[in-house]
Each structure stands twice: as C-alpha cells, then as structure tokens.
Amino acid sequence: MRRREQREHIFKLLFMTQFNSEGDMPEQLSLYFEGLGELSGEDQASMQKKYEGILEHLDEIDGELNEYSQGWKTSRMSRVDLTALRLAVYEMKFDEDIPTGVAINEAVELAKRFGGEDSGSFVNGILGKIASGKKDSGEIHKPRRPSHQAKIIIRSKKNTPDKESEESKN
C-alpha cells in the first residue's frame, strides 16, 4: 500500500477518535482494519504505529496548533481540518522520513477532499506558518483611513473644460 493510501487511513482513524471514547477505540481499530480486507501485516503495523504516535504527542501537537493559529483555537476548528493538521504536524515534527513539503501538501489534499470549501487554504496557511516558524503572517499592515474620513471629490459638470469652451464659442 502506498504512503498516500496509508495516510488517508490514518486520517480516518484519527477522525474516528473524536467520536469514540478511548475505551472503544481498540475495538474500532480492529473493525476498521478488518474492513480493509487484504491488508498486509506490515501496512497495518505501520499505520497503527503512526496513529499511536500522533495520540502520544497530541497535547504537544495541539499546543503548537493553538500557538500558530491566531483566532482559531483547536476547539473552534472543524474536525476534518483539525485531523488533517494533527497528522501533518506529527509528520513535520516527529516523522523524519516525511519531508515537510510532502506533509503539508498531503494535509491540504485531505482537507480539500474531506473538508469544506476553504479547508485546503486554512490548513495550508497554518502549516505554512508552522513550517516557517512565523507566529504571525509577517505582513506589514498599512493603517487604513477610517471610512468617515474618506475624501470625496465632486466635480460639477458646469466647470468642466469642454463645457467652458463650448460656452465661450457661443
């Protein structure tokens, strides 16, 4: 089984943990793996190892997500986006076999496939900040003029050069 397929199954397993109690998960894992049919023991062991690794580091992963996602704490994120982010942060920080760019791209694809309309860009934005180490966007915001101070220029049609030249001809 390819890594992309394994990653999708790990994503689904992580997603399930948000709806099942910790005590129910061993049975849920068994049922999930049985439902996959022909699955090599090596693939199952690999997926289970990564799944358990993410759960082991969940507090640390969520802490990092909360630190970098301004205005979007993990408690407010959609469950799909949060699951994709958790998987990617784990791969970026704890899985040396996965390049950071691959972890980000795969998470964005999962978010696009299973999430909402803006899920891909949301996930990409947060993971980009984590990868670069910038806690804010780094953009320089120019102060905007309040709308009540906007200058309005009104030109009268009487004083336009074309009208004046026409009037002087008559």
Side-chain angles (χ1 to χ4, degrees):
M1 180 180 294
R2 294 180 18 217
R3 281 188 181 181
R4 176 172 275 187
E5 293 173 86
Q6 286 184 359
R7 189 177 284 108
E8 184 175 322
H9 290 300
I10 295 164
F11 171 86
K12 290 175 181 178
L13 291 171
L14 285 172
F15 189 77
M16 285 179 10
T17 62
Q18 298 179 62
F19 298 97
N20 293 287
S21 69
E22 193 175 327
D24 290 341
M25 280 312 295
E27 181 182 352
Q28 292 297 320
L29 285 171
S30 294
L31 291 171
Y32 185 84
F33 286 129
E34 284 173 23
L36 292 179
E38 296 295 318
L39 178 67
S40 74
E42 185 179 311
D43 285 340
Q44 181 174 338
S46 173
M47 288 188 286
Q48 195 154 355
K49 180 182 177 192
K50 187 175 276 192
Y51 166 78
E52 290 169 357
I54 294 168
L55 293 181
E56 248 178 65
H57 295 284
L58 199 56
D59 290 337
E60 188 177 343
I61 291 168
D62 284 355
E64 185 132 1
L65 289 170
N66 284 325
E67 189 176 333
Y68 281 90
S69 60
Q70 294 177 340
W72 284 96
K73 299 302 173 202
T74 54
S75 59
R76 287 188 59 212
M77 293 178 190
S78 83
R79 292 179 188 212
V80 169
D81 296 352
L82 179 58
T83 303
L85 287 165
R86 284 173 170 169
L87 177 55
V89 171
Y90 175 81
E91 288 183 337
M92 291 165 63
K93 300 294 179 182
F94 303 103
D95 192 340
E96 295 171 2
D97 294 338
I98 308 292
T100 298
V102 171
I104 292 172
N105 289 337
E106 292 294 323
V108 168
E109 290 304 314
L110 286 168
K112 284 179 182 178
R113 182 168 178 199
F114 295 106
E117 188 177 310
D118 297 327
S119 290
S121 58
F122 177 75
V123 167
N124 188 50
I126 292 175
L127 294 176
K129 287 180 187 180
I130 291 172
S132 69
K134 293 181 182 176
K135 291 187 178 135
D136 59 31
S137 64
E139 296 175 7
I140 299 171
H141 297 285
K142 295 190 327 189
R144 289 187 163 181
R145 183 177 8 185
S147 60
H148 66 277
Q149 291 182 356
K151 290 184 182 179
I152 299 173
I153 300 172
I154 300 174
R155 294 199 170 118
S156 170
K157 291 185 180 182
K158 291 180 184 178
N159 296 335
T160 61
D162 293 338
K163 286 273 190 182
E164 288 176 13
S165 61
E166 285 178 26
E167 290 175 5
S168 63
K169 289 180 184 175
N170 292 334

